Amino acid sequence: MKKAILFFIVALMIAPVASAIDRMPAEVKPAGVTVVIPRQAIDNAPALEVFTIIHHARPDKPGKPGKGPKGETCYGFISGKAKLIETENVLINPTNSGMTEEDVLNTIQVSASTWDNETSTQIFGDFTKDYTADFDTYADGRNEVSFGNYPQNGVIAVTRIWGYFSGKPNSRYISQFDIMFDTDFAWGDAEIDATLMDLQNIATHELGHTTGLNDTYSDSCKEVTMYGYSAYGETKKRTLETPDISGLQILYGI
Ligand SMILES: [Zn+2]
């Protein structure tokens, strides 16, 4: 008699669970069914690879055209045709910039427009002031621009991009980025004061990295925006040269 009661109680406990499972066939994913994972979950997956691209200071001397390797294109890519695959919003923390918040936000937006203006693809979306934006060592799903001290001398700025870079060329893409401008330098508008590090100049270069373009270091490429060195007072990277635009349009179209 006791056994029968126990069996009855256990059966009562199991029954609702079993029937609940029966009523949820959609929750069981048989092999071969595509499961859509939210973009955020993909971006934060540990398998994301990272590149850190450092922009060094070097006194500027005029370029010597023709000294580069034959067939020099003056543009290159970070990883095959890896590029941003959707319009990216950007958070900007103007703290420690030494500039007004308005100037920092406006300047970085102008730099982004410089790239967006040369392709029909809308690469960059909204730029928002955010005091929590920082330069991360991990992928947090946010594109952040901030000012801080990179622990290495002579570094003007550093860009970190996360994405998939080692798979088949067609499967590679950039999922997110962070940029930090080094507070070892005095930032501002070098067209007004040539003793400053020009924010628009450097931001245009760094945002070029976030689109998938790499540095170029050849002497014959000193005039292009993606040339890998800069100096106080420099403003020539504010505007794109033909090689910068060629590289951009290979990734994003005309
Ligand atoms: Zn660079």
Side-chain angles (χ1 to χ4, degrees), residues 19-233:
S19 62
I21 289 168
D22 287 340
R23 278 187 270 107
M24 297 189 295
E27 291 299 310
V28 181
K29 299 284 193 286
V33 169
T34 303
V35 180
V36 178
I37 299 164
R39 165 76 193 277
Q40 192 79 3
I42 297 170
D43 286 350
N44 295 331
L48 275 178
E49 296 161 81
V50 62
F51 278 120
T52 302
I53 306 152
I54 295 169
H55 195 63
H56 291 277
R58 196 165 82 171
D60 194 32
K61 292 177 197 151
K64 294 176 195 163
K67 292 284 179 185
K70 275 190 178 168
E72 180 71 68
T73 57
C74 291
Y75 65 82
F77 304 107
I78 287 168
S79 177
K81 298 294 190 296
K83 61 174 179 176
L84 294 167
I85 52 170
E86 53 185 54
T87 300
E88 297 290 342
N89 296 328
V90 181
L91 304 174
I92 300 173
N93 186 349
T95 307
N96 298 321
S97 64
M99 300 170 60
T100 68
E101 294 186 345
E102 198 185 3
D103 280 350
V104 171
L105 260 76
N106 289 342
T107 301
I108 290 167
Q109 285 181 79
V110 168
S111 292
S113 299
T114 303
W115 293 103
D116 267 330
N117 289 344
E118 299 298 339
T119 173
S120 53
T121 304
Q122 184 74 44
I123 302 172
F124 300 106
D126 299 329
F127 288 77
T128 310
K129 182 173 71 178
D130 187 324
Y131 295 122
T132 70
D134 58 359
F135 189 69
D136 293 315
T137 54
Y138 56 92
D140 64 356
R142 311 191 325 159
N143 303 312
E144 296 160 285
V145 176
S146 61
F147 292 78
N149 186 28
Y150 194 73
Q152 189 180 326
N153 284 340
V155 174
I156 298 171
V158 56
T159 293
R160 202 163 261 157
I161 61 168
W162 288 269
Y164 292 98
F165 305 126
S166 55
K168 289 177 186 166
N170 290 345
S171 69
R172 297 180 189 185
Y173 70 91
I174 300 168
S175 85
Q176 56 198 279
F177 59 84
D178 282 2
I179 297 172
M180 185 170 76
F181 301 103
D182 200 299
T183 48
D184 286 345
F185 294 85
W187 293 91
D189 182 342
E191 285 189 347
I192 295 170
D193 180 351
T195 68
L196 296 173
M197 187 61 73
D198 191 74
L199 182 60
Q200 187 184 334
N201 189 65
I202 303 299
T204 307
H205 176 93
E206 299 306 320
L207 286 166
H209 286 315
T210 71
T211 71
L213 293 174
N214 208 348
D215 286 317
T216 179
Y217 288 103
S218 171
D219 274 358
S220 60
C221 303
K222 282 187 174 178
E223 303 307 311
V224 307
T225 292
M226 294 316 294
Y227 183 65
Y229 294 110
S230 291
Y232 270 124

